[in-house]
Amino acid sequence: MATAVLVVVGLVFGLYAAVSGASLRPGPAGPGDAPGMPEPAAPAWAPVDRPGPALTVPAADLTASLVCTRGQATRDTVLLLSGTGADPDTAFRWGLRPLLAAQGFPTCLSTAPDANTGDVARRAEYVVHAIRTIAERTGRKVAVVGHSQGGMVPRWALRFWPDVRDRVSDLVALGPTNAGSDALRAGCAQGCSAAFWQQSSGSRFEQALNSERRTFAGVDYTVVVSTGDTVVTPVPQASALPAEPGGGAVAGNGAVAVQDVCPGRTVEHGPLGLSDAASFALVVDALRNPGPADPARIAAASTCTRAQAQGITAAALRQGTAAVDRAVAQSAATAAVLPAEPDLPCYTRPDPC
């Protein structure tokens, strides 16, 4: 695998131990980069309210992908979605999952193949299945919390499967790739995985994701970022929800930074979704209150004195991050490297498949 790809895969979780010291290279030219070339006409996309396509992932695989805590749900169940390079159990079992359990939130994990390095549109089918199944089992809406790609992929599900919109109460995204990352685009100069191509700035996937409507009524959106994030760049533009066509504003379009809670705090991309105390406080605030998270409600005096969230011991932090490092290194070694972004699914087009 190209060294640049290894670096980018490692960066997505902000490795605590560097996998490689190679630097990112400039990315390929995008539309309109050539002097004197006019911008291509904007493509037309599927209508926002067209019924979603049938799921193509085998039913047995979808069933096996969803694992939930047991017991009666008295709060909305939280669906946890990890980023590129590690499965959700490895990412969340030592941090976010026990934290939410202590706050009284049941949780579910949706595990897609290949450590989320493959086609993100295919991963979205697992997310659609998870939301439908959890809502049916509990009789309640589903709160979705995701890191990096995991914070962006539920938006693909909401965009192209309208039936899931009424089943989601919150979408809390930690360092998501909502508008595409310049750093990931640079890392794909020598080829990279499908997921990295799709999360790169200017990708066709990102154009489809943000077509027609970016947010949907009834879903409370919270986007949490860090000014120290060097993976999803630039901050906050790469993570913030793009403005609606025509300028329509939706609460939560903007991003809240952990530095809004703790000025001067240094948090990289990995800890933002895996362990940071301020980030996790914003997650809990969003889930406990209507609307997006509000930094003014966070107890900064107690939150900002800790690097990792309360309940994450030094041993758990060390062991958990080491497990993530190993998973990311493994995915870097085995991910399929593509020379270009994969084609979009036919259901993104204006005419039905």
Side-chain angles (χ1 to χ4, degrees), residues 54-239:
L55 303 184
T56 61
V57 176
D61 293 347
L62 292 174
T63 299
S65 70
L66 184 63
V67 176
C68 300
T69 53
R70 297 180 181 274
Q72 183 68 31
T74 57
R75 295 181 180 273
D76 291 352
T77 296
V78 180
L79 174 62
L80 294 172
L81 302 173
S82 56
T84 314
D87 65 82
D89 183 60
T90 301
F92 299 129
R93 67 176 174 235
W94 52 277
L96 195 51
R97 200 174 197 194
L99 171 75
L100 291 174
Q103 296 288 329
F105 291 96
T107 58
C108 293
L109 306 179
S110 171
T111 304
D114 304 319
N116 308 320
T117 59
D119 190 336
V120 180
R122 187 166 178 81
R123 182 189 182 187
E125 296 192 23
Y126 289 83
V127 176
V128 170
H129 167 78
I131 292 170
R132 288 172 174 169
T133 302
I134 297 167
E136 181 179 354
R137 288 177 181 173
T138 64
R140 303 177 64 96
K141 290 190 175 185
V142 180
V144 184
V145 177
H147 176 217
S148 197
Q149 182 197 137
M152 173 272 285
V153 65
R155 290 189 55 232
W156 187 272
L158 291 165
R159 168 62 178 88
F160 293 107
W161 281 270
D163 69 282
V164 304
R165 297 170 194 164
D166 291 337
R167 294 174 166 90
V168 175
S169 56
D170 283 87
L171 172 51
V172 185
L174 310 175
T177 46
N178 278 328
S181 169
D182 287 352
L184 296 183
R185 178 185 175 186
C188 284
Q190 305 301 318
C192 59
S193 69
F196 284 138
W197 277 116
Q198 291 167 322
Q199 294 175 91
S200 299
S201 55
S203 71
R204 295 187 302 277
F205 183 93
E206 293 285 352
Q207 294 172 36
L209 172 69
N210 293 310
S211 64
E212 305 299 330
R213 283 202 63 79
R214 286 77 189 267
T215 54
F216 296 94
V219 180
D220 292 335
Y221 294 84
T222 295
V223 174
V224 180
V225 300
S226 171
T227 57
D229 192 331
T230 61
V231 175
V232 181
T233 64
V235 178
Q237 295 92 330
S239 287

Side-chain angles (χ1 to χ4, degrees), residues 289-310:
N289 296 284
D294 183 355
R297 290 193 292 252
I298 306 302
S302 57
T303 301
C304 300
T305 57
R306 301 189 303 268
Q308 65 262 26
Q310 189 171 10

